[in-house]
Amino acid sequence: AIKGRLSHINQIPFAAQKSAGGVDTNVWGTGFTPEGIDQNPVYYEFMMGMNWRTGPEPNITQHVIDRSFRRYGLVEYNDDVAQSWALLVASGYNQDLSVQDGTAIPKLSGNSQFESDRRTPTPTLCSIFEAWSRLLQAAPSVSSANSLSSAA
């Protein structure tokens, strides 16, 4: 799933500590229910990484780009990979999609991803499409051992 507001996760643990007004809050970690966010490694890893930080991640986009380079085993800079993930952080990973349709599976479907004319895709959907296209362009430069086929 390409969803979840990373900027919101980036603030939650530290806002909870601040809300106690400087009093020791006895906060020792964070937790979540993975089933509620579908299979979303970027989101999982970012959330679990919050346990090791002393403050919010200053540049979420660069953090996700760096993660993708490690994930794909890239040693050299690849603009298609970097731009893909920058687009995804600014679009899909900057929205919270509901799972209230009874399936418990978030998806980019229905009228929510199209303008009111029901034919024109939203800027978010266009960005996700462009990101996917760039990942496909980058695929030949990634070894088969670190395939983009599971680009998560």
Side-chain angles (χ1 to χ4, degrees), residues 2 25 27-28 35-37 46 60 66 82 89 92 105 111 114 122 125 127 143:
I2 300 173
T25 61
V27 174
W28 290 94
E35 296 83 8
I37 54 177
F46 191 74
I60 296 170
D66 292 345
V89 168
I105 300 172
N111 295 333
F114 290 89
T122 64
L125 190 57
S127 291
S143 75

Side-chain angles (χ1 to χ4, degrees), residues 29-34 47-48 51:
T30 58
F32 60 96
T33 305
M47 182 175 287
M48 294 310 291
N51 291 319

Side-chain angles (χ1 to χ4, degrees), residues 4-128:
R5 196 175 306 268
L6 295 178
S7 60
H8 187 63
I9 293 173
N10 200 32
Q11 299 298 323
I12 292 172
F14 310 106
Q17 290 173 337
K18 268 187 180 175
S19 70
V23 177
D24 184 4
T25 61
N26 292 324
V27 174
W28 290 94
T30 58
F32 60 96
T33 305
E35 296 83 8
I37 54 177
D38 205 19
Q39 298 302 314
N40 193 335
V42 172
Y43 194 86
Y44 293 159
E45 290 174 19
F46 191 74
M47 182 175 287
M48 294 310 291
M50 300 315 291
N51 291 319
W52 309 108
R53 288 188 170 66
T54 57
E57 171 61 44
N59 188 333
I60 296 170
T61 301
Q62 190 60 52
H63 174 83
V64 173
I65 290 169
D66 292 345
R67 177 212 176 268
S68 71
F69 276 55
R70 288 188 307 273
R71 167 74 169 84
Y72 306 139
L74 299 176
V75 180
E76 295 179 20
Y77 181 79
N78 184 306
D79 190 58
D80 284 322
V81 171
Q83 292 303 315
S84 292
W85 285 100
L87 284 164
L88 290 172
V89 168
S91 60
Y93 287 112
N94 194 29
Q95 64 179 349
D96 288 318
L97 298 176
S98 174
V99 294
Q100 298 173 5
D101 64 356
T103 66
I105 300 172
K107 50 191 161 284
L108 298 172
S109 64
N111 295 333
S112 67
Q113 295 300 315
F114 290 89
E115 301 294 349
S116 59
D117 66 5
R118 298 170 55 177
R119 287 184 286 275
T120 306
T122 64
T124 296
L125 190 57
C126 290
S127 291
I128 291 170

